[in-house]
Amino acid sequence: MIDLRSDTVTRPTAAMLAAMSGAETGDDVYGEDPTVHALEERVAGLLGHEAGLFTVSGSLANALGVRSLVAPGQELLCEERAHVVRAELGAHAVWHGVTTRTWSDPRGHVDLDAVRRLMTPDAGPYLVSTAAIAVENTHNFAGGTVQPLEALRELRALAEPVGVRLHLDGARLWNAHVATGVALAEYGRLFDTVSVCLSKGLGAPVGSVLAGPAAAIAEARVWRKRLGAGWRQAGVLAAAGLYALDHHIGRLADDHAHARLIADAVAEADPSAVDPATVETNVVILDVGDRAAGLVERAAAEGVLTGVVGPGLVRLITHLDVSADDAKRAAGVLAELVRA
Amino acid sequence: MIDLRSDTVTRPTAAMLAAMSGAETGDDVYGEDPTVHALEERVAGLLGHEAGLFTVSGSLANALGVRSLVAPGQELLCEERAHVVRAELGAHAVWHGVTTRTWSDPRGHVDLDAVRRLMTPDAGPYLVSTAAIAVENTHNFAGGTVQPLEALRELRALAEPVGVRLHLDGARLWNAHVATGVALAEYGRLFDTVSVCLSKGLGAPVGSVLAGPAAAIAEARVWRKRLGAGWRQAGVLAAAGLYALDHHIGRLADDHAHARLIADAVAEADPSAVDPATVETNVVILDVGDRAAGLVERAAAEGVLTGVVGPGLVRLITHLDVSADDAKRAAGVLAELVRA
Amino acid sequence: MIDLRSDTVTRPTAAMLAAMSGAETGDDVYGEDPTVHALEERVAGLLGHEAGLFTVSGSLANALGVRSLVAPGQELLCEERAHVVRAELGAHAVWHGVTTRTWSDPRGHVDLDAVRRLMTPDAGPYLVSTAAIAVENTHNFAGGTVQPLEALRELRALAEPVGVRLHLDGARLWNAHVATGVALAEYGRLFDTVSVCLSKGLGAPVGSVLAGPAAAIAEARVWRKRLGAGWRQAGVLAAAGLYALDHHIGRLADDHAHARLIADAVAEADPSAVDPATVETNVVILDVGDRAAGLVERAAAEGVLTGVVGPGLVRLITHLDVSADDAKRAAGVLAELVRA
Amino acid sequence: MIDLRSDTVTRPTAAMLAAMSGAETGDDVYGEDPTVHALEERVAGLLGHEAGLFTVSGSLANALGVRSLVAPGQELLCEERAHVVRAELGAHAVWHGVTTRTWSDPRGHVDLDAVRRLMTPDAGPYLVSTAAIAVENTHNFAGGTVQPLEALRELRALAEPVGVRLHLDGARLWNAHVATGVALAEYGRLFDTVSVCLSKGLGAPVGSVLAGPAAAIAEARVWRKRLGAGWRQAGVLAAAGLYALDHHIGRLADDHAHARLIADAVAEADPSAVDPATVETNVVILDVGDRAAGLVERAAAEGVLTGVVGPGLVRLITHLDVSADDAKRAAGVLAELVRA
Ligand SMILES: [Ca+2]
Ligand SMILES: [Ca+2]
Ligand SMILES: [Ca+2]
Ligand SMILES: [Ca+2]
Ligand SMILES: [Ca+2]
Ligand SMILES: [Ca+2]
């Protein structure tokens, strides 16, 4: 089976498992796991931030980051297909009372005009105050799109003077970094808090990291426990994350090449299904209309797993467990199916 | 002083106060206030619904209505300037975990294409499910605009078959009814829950009513108490509401005429400030750019109170306590100021 | 009917209604109702506090007070039958995340040993920190009992040095004041926040007041609106409260005498049902075992309404609408029934 | 260092790490991790329940279990030092609106009289309804005490007929089972939901399991994700749990013997510090008054780590990483220090 449903399906490699078995551990609830500490410092450093917190998921890292920026009853702005508002089951509202408004952008980009229109900081005692804006980079549901750096800089220039803060959902920031060559810290420093995920393209079994100011991270650590997500000898998992940082960032370029290869093959078979120029990283979205469900089913029958992510939209994600041969084979299968 | 900041500033008239003094009362927390009962039944009947609940504010009626339709972690959709998402201080998220996404429409109307794009009922265990859509009629921050009845019918036709429910924020539904001649129940029956306000154009000192199915209203009654908004001999206030229903609905036509009169005068002085054709009810929004703050200040100095509701936007609302002479005088003052 | 179910059933008198009709009003959501202002200042002054907030219920005043003292995830301690933990439908937990532990005292008194055992201020990042203690005076479900002043002073001495704060649920503080002669402010100053109710023994139709530090009250005002309990021309209700403060405090002594009169009559008929020495204010609790439900029913048939408040416990509350003749008649009916 | 601060400090053994490295994994967010499935079924079976959910912590398993039994605004009863109310940072209130009342028992036992007094099921629309009761077995802060089986049976007999449900915090249920010989399922079947912990005495690095009815567990799975605690290839951790179930339950008897050995030694040196008869499992609490802080410090200087858990109370917990020699050495050090 070639599993292109998501890069979350990556499994730990033998070398990663060896690193996990050899990890020094301690009780992380007591702040005593040296491998967790090493991972938190390493990621914070990469992102240009003071401190880091190792969390069980990217959803938790996002929610803890947003909590540090937005008080109950205040507002977070984001694009309407952002993970924070689509794929976290309303967590931000449920346990912290965050209200949201959204803009719509076909590529999932920051829409600076919409931000100017929506943003209402310090709105007084009758209206909702905008406290923060969340940006997802790369943007998963928009097709692994990379946020233009210049727009992020303009966003910072708009928000900072009026006290509106910025959270970066960087679950796939590694992919943006590899695709553009922009340093992780160059992205990271434009935001007040940043989440990154280790268990997607990087291939670790479990875990994300939230980076931000030391005081915010200290508070996030308490809230992590309040949500029942403190963990004990988490160093076994942190070791996988450290291994992934050492060995699995650069190779994301292969995933991007594989995604483009698949898109090229499908576009050749049916140009209406996908424009390969829109494939910037490891996500390919095929717009196949009524054929979506059937396509997914037939591809599965041929050993290629994909998923429906919207009306008529089939999504493929390449990753560590998809070899060059896998990608070629998937490209062939899918091209054949869209041609049919 | 001619106070055009809001129709909430209306004060009870002498006849209304007499009705209040003569009201029979009881302990409404025990469900024993006959005047409250009468008001709740009366409003429910007007809106074509089974039952009603008298609440201390329109915000509370909205939040209780939405609570009955949306479970924690589910989603409510609405226009981006809707009262529920702008002017209720995040209540829906804070005490019930409702998450929101928004569309943008210049007139505050329902955007059926946006609804089709955003609506995601029964989204499974990973994604946020859309549970309800809220519509504000008339739409305050969009300028007292009336929702086109046909669009509301199409919205119902879209939402009902997929189990997405509809809440009507009808704080100023009375104005829509008077402006269009559409029966209150014709609007009301298109929605699962409806809130209406008695303390704005209708002139009661305090109170709104939530209407809906009997079971939902029974639950809302418990949640009203849970939020600390159960009240005892509330019949003194309900009597004002009943008086207003008897005497103050038809006269809203005067408020609409006064609003148009002011808009006409201002447009004659500066056509760029307002298009009178956009003034459908009792709200006038003047777009005066950099002059907004100065205009509000100078109008106040001339005895006309107005408010800024967005960058460059000055809002005027006519109501029960603004006579024809008041309206003429305000029109003169404002025309003079925009001309200058 | 002689309604002894609760002092909440009191209805506004003709003189009170006249005061309401004559009240000057304004939009209290905008902070512009002079009668509301007057009431808030008057009550704050009586209680020895900086500022006051007029609320729709005592439950809301309690919850807003506790919110100002306890952060989400922190702890409030109280007696196990306190109104805040029994009769507010979990509000403190639901919308503010307050967790509670309780002690048990037969008279509902502060148990200083229990407080010493339970109180855990600044408990660090793993354990729940005690932020505040709530005391109810008089204590309704314990039988209108008055908290001994000396114990309140010791409680203050215990709590203040370690940063644990105190909330007084003074819904019936007026009764404690009249029963003991201790000044309202002497009670009030021992607490960080205080709620008092105007719609019980004082006879106003609706409303309570929260008193406390000016900054806490300003925040409570915003949260009152967030909970949907901001109100517009609330001066009509505030006027009733001011009238009650002028005319209905001293007369609570009559209610106390009436309660004792009933207790004496019942005790004479059945000494096991009640010890009149325990009747300190306007509440009488009869312990009649299996006879409770029957007693309530038969008393109602004789025109005397009472209520069951626990296994075998029948509660009577005297108030403004129960005359001396009513009390004598109720005493006769109940004595007859317990004798039977 | 001999670390007796908690049994959470246990580190995975080499054999456990080997089991982890060899585990088959999948994406558990998609329900595709076979090792997680195996663990969940195994634990559910041991406890006599339909289904299980693997969670990142015991706090999360408790909170998800309680959520399935108690609606927002309803009440959970428990002993005043229970983990759910002392050591979960108010989670139950914060994200689910659970309110709590507590009884006090010196051994942390169920107090059936208190339950009879406090329990108020179906309390109507004005009062808090008791929805569930939580019992901790063994009870950590009371000193690893075992709940008498007969009392648990009586609790069930009291609660079930009135619809009040029961949650078992069985973080250390393994210890109760080993100490008493009562089958895990015999305990488990008395409760509606049960949590057990794998990362304490059993020695797994991370993880607990919630067991209960299949429908409740399915909902808990969604709420686990909503709280940000869904995890991907969690089979690496589940494998450690399965290994622990195979190899580390029986040996808890050694921990109990070690705890008793230490208690005996200390009691011989200072009989006032501890009564060895109270040491039922792997927890020893020394009551040493003013000497507590000094004792902890001096023991640490001698290589024995302990902790203060209350005024004058020092706690020691034996576990997998404390050998018989370690226990003897710790006994000697502590006996010497209390004698001094
Ligand atoms: Ca993975
Ligand atoms: Ca492969
Ligand atoms: Ca009004
Ligand atoms: Ca009353
Ligand atoms: Ca009478
Ligand atoms: Ca462990």
Side-chain angles (χ1 to χ4, degrees), chain A residues 151-182:
Chain A
L152 299 181
R153 287 188 179 131
E154 286 186 45
L155 177 67
R156 182 87 204 170
L158 271 178
E160 194 167 28
V162 294
V164 170
R165 297 202 277 171
L166 302 180
H167 174 73
L168 173 56
D169 177 355
R172 291 178 181 82
L173 189 65
W174 322 104
N175 298 81
H177 158 63
V178 166
T180 61
V182 174

Coordinates of all heavy atoms in Angstrom, one line a residue, chain A residues 151-182:
Chain A
A151 N 4.2 39.2 2.6 CA 2.9 39.4 3.3 C 3.0 39.2 4.8 O 2.3 39.9 5.6 CB 1.8 38.5 2.6
L152 N 3.8 38.2 5.2 CA 3.9 38.0 6.6 C 4.6 39.2 7.3 O 4.2 39.6 8.4 CB 4.7 36.7 6.9 CG 4.1 35.4 6.3 CD1 5.0 34.2 6.6 CD2 2.7 35.2 6.9
R153 N 5.5 39.8 6.6 CA 6.2 41.0 7.2 C 5.2 42.1 7.2 O 5.2 42.9 8.2 CB 7.4 41.4 6.3 CG 8.6 40.4 6.4 CD 9.8 40.9 5.7 NE 10.9 40.0 5.9 CZ 11.7 39.6 4.9 NH1 11.5 39.9 3.6 NH2 12.7 38.8 5.2
E154 N 4.4 42.3 6.2 CA 3.4 43.4 6.3 C 2.3 43.1 7.4 O 1.9 44.0 8.0 CB 2.7 43.5 4.9 CG 3.5 44.1 3.9 CD 2.8 44.4 2.6 OE1 1.6 44.9 2.6 OE2 3.3 44.1 1.5
L155 N 2.0 41.8 7.5 CA 1.1 41.5 8.6 C 1.6 41.9 10.0 O 1.0 42.5 10.8 CB 0.8 40.0 8.6 CG -0.1 39.5 9.7 CD1 -1.5 40.0 9.5 CD2 -0.1 37.9 9.8
R156 N 2.9 41.6 10.2 CA 3.6 42.0 11.4 C 3.5 43.5 11.6 O 3.3 44.0 12.7 CB 5.0 41.5 11.4 CG 5.8 41.8 12.7 CD 5.6 40.7 13.7 NE 5.8 41.1 15.1 CZ 5.5 40.4 16.1 NH1 5.0 39.2 16.0 NH2 5.8 40.8 17.3
A157 N 3.8 44.2 10.5 CA 3.9 45.7 10.5 C 2.5 46.3 10.9 O 2.4 47.3 11.5 CB 4.4 46.2 9.2
L158 N 1.4 45.6 10.4 CA 0.1 46.0 10.7 C -0.3 45.7 12.2 O -1.0 46.6 12.8 CB -0.9 45.2 9.9 CG -1.3 45.7 8.5 CD1 -2.3 44.7 7.9 CD2 -2.0 47.1 8.6
A159 N 0.0 44.6 12.6 CA -0.5 44.1 13.9 C 0.3 44.6 15.1 O -0.3 45.0 16.1 CB -0.5 42.5 13.9
E160 N 1.6 44.6 15.0 CA 2.4 44.9 16.2 C 2.1 46.3 16.8 O 1.9 46.4 18.0 CB 3.9 44.8 15.8 CG 4.8 44.8 17.0 CD 6.2 44.3 16.7 OE1 6.6 44.6 15.6 OE2 6.8 43.7 17.6
P161 N 2.0 47.3 16.0 CA 1.8 48.7 16.6 C 0.4 48.8 17.3 O 0.3 49.6 18.2 CB 1.8 49.6 15.3 CG 2.4 48.8 14.2 CD 2.1 47.4 14.5
V162 N -0.5 48.0 17.0 CA -1.8 48.1 17.6 C -2.0 47.0 18.7 O -3.1 46.8 19.2 CB -3.0 48.1 16.6 CG1 -2.9 49.3 15.8 CG2 -3.0 46.8 15.8
G163 N -0.9 46.2 18.9 CA -1.0 45.2 20.0 C -1.7 43.9 19.7 O -2.1 43.2 20.6
V164 N -2.0 43.7 18.4 CA -2.6 42.4 18.0 C -1.4 41.5 17.8 O -0.4 41.8 17.1 CB -3.4 42.6 16.7 CG1 -3.8 41.2 16.1 CG2 -4.6 43.4 17.0
R165 N -1.5 40.3 18.3 CA -0.4 39.3 18.3 C -0.6 38.2 17.3 O -1.7 38.0 16.8 CB -0.2 38.8 19.7 CG 0.2 40.0 20.6 CD 1.0 39.7 21.8 NE 0.0 39.3 22.8 CZ 0.4 38.8 24.0 NH1 1.7 38.6 24.2 NH2 -0.5 38.5 24.9
L166 N 0.5 37.5 17.0 CA 0.5 36.6 15.8 C 0.9 35.2 16.3 O 1.9 35.0 16.9 CB 1.4 37.1 14.7 CG 1.1 38.5 14.2 CD1 2.2 38.8 13.1 CD2 -0.3 38.6 13.6
H167 N 0.1 34.2 15.9 CA 0.5 32.8 16.1 C 0.7 32.1 14.8 O -0.1 32.3 13.8 CB -0.7 32.1 16.9 CG -0.4 30.6 17.0 ND1 0.6 30.1 17.8 CD2 -0.9 29.5 16.3 CE1 0.6 28.8 17.7 NE2 -0.3 28.4 16.8
L168 N 1.8 31.4 14.7 CA 2.1 30.6 13.5 C 1.8 29.2 13.7 O 2.4 28.5 14.6 CB 3.6 30.8 13.1 CG 4.1 30.0 12.0 CD1 3.3 30.2 10.7 CD2 5.6 30.3 11.7
D169 N 0.9 28.6 13.0 CA 0.7 27.2 13.0 C 1.6 26.6 11.9 O 1.4 26.6 10.7 CB -0.8 26.9 12.6 CG -1.0 25.4 12.5 OD1 -0.1 24.6 12.6 OD2 -2.2 25.0 12.3
G170 N 2.8 26.2 12.4 CA 3.9 25.8 11.5 C 4.0 24.2 11.5 O 5.1 23.7 11.5
A171 N 2.9 23.6 11.6 CA 2.9 22.1 11.6 C 3.8 21.6 10.4 O 4.6 20.7 10.6 CB 1.5 21.5 11.4
R172 N 3.7 22.3 9.3 CA 4.6 22.0 8.1 C 5.5 23.1 7.8 O 5.8 23.3 6.6 CB 3.7 21.5 7.0 CG 3.0 20.2 7.2 CD 2.0 19.8 6.1 NE 1.4 18.6 6.3 CZ 0.2 18.5 7.1 NH1 -0.3 19.5 7.6 NH2 -0.3 17.3 7.3
L173 N 5.9 23.9 8.8 CA 6.9 25.0 8.5 C 8.2 24.4 7.9 O 8.8 25.1 7.1 CB 7.2 25.7 9.8 CG 8.0 27.0 9.6 CD1 7.2 28.1 8.8 CD2 8.4 27.6 11.0
W174 N 8.5 23.2 8.3 CA 9.7 22.6 7.7 C 9.6 22.5 6.2 O 10.6 22.8 5.5 CB 9.8 21.1 8.2 CG 9.5 20.9 9.7 CD1 8.3 20.4 10.1 CD2 10.2 21.3 10.8 NE1 8.3 20.4 11.5 CE2 9.5 20.9 11.9 CE3 11.5 21.9 11.0 CZ2 9.9 21.2 13.2 CZ3 11.9 22.2 12.3 CH2 11.1 21.8 13.4
N175 N 8.4 22.2 5.7 CA 8.2 22.2 4.2 C 8.4 23.6 3.6 O 9.0 23.7 2.5 CB 6.8 21.6 3.9 CG 6.7 20.2 4.4 OD1 6.4 20.0 5.6 ND2 6.9 19.2 3.6
A176 N 7.8 24.6 4.3 CA 7.9 25.9 3.7 C 9.4 26.3 3.7 O 9.9 26.9 2.7 CB 7.2 26.9 4.6
H177 N 10.1 26.0 4.7 CA 11.5 26.3 4.8 C 12.3 25.6 3.7 O 13.1 26.3 3.0 CB 12.0 25.9 6.2 CG 13.5 25.6 6.3 ND1 14.4 26.6 6.2 CD2 14.2 24.5 6.6 CE1 15.6 26.1 6.4 NE2 15.5 24.8 6.6
V178 N 12.1 24.4 3.5 CA 12.8 23.6 2.5 C 12.4 24.1 1.1 O 13.3 24.2 0.2 CB 12.5 22.1 2.6 CG1 13.0 21.3 1.4 CG2 13.3 21.6 3.9
A179 N 11.1 24.5 0.9 CA 10.7 24.9 -0.4 C 11.2 26.3 -0.8 O 11.5 26.6 -2.0 CB 9.2 24.9 -0.5
T180 N 11.4 27.2 0.2 CA 11.8 28.6 -0.1 C 13.2 28.9 0.3 O 13.8 29.9 -0.2 CB 10.9 29.5 0.7 OG1 11.1 29.3 2.1 CG2 9.4 29.3 0.4
G181 N 13.8 28.1 1.1 CA 15.2 28.4 1.6 C 15.1 29.5 2.7 O 16.2 29.9 3.2
V182 N 14.0 30.0 3.0 CA 13.9 31.0 4.1 C 14.2 30.3 5.4 O 13.6 29.2 5.7 CB 12.5 31.6 4.2 CG1 12.3 32.5 5.4 CG2 12.2 32.4 2.9

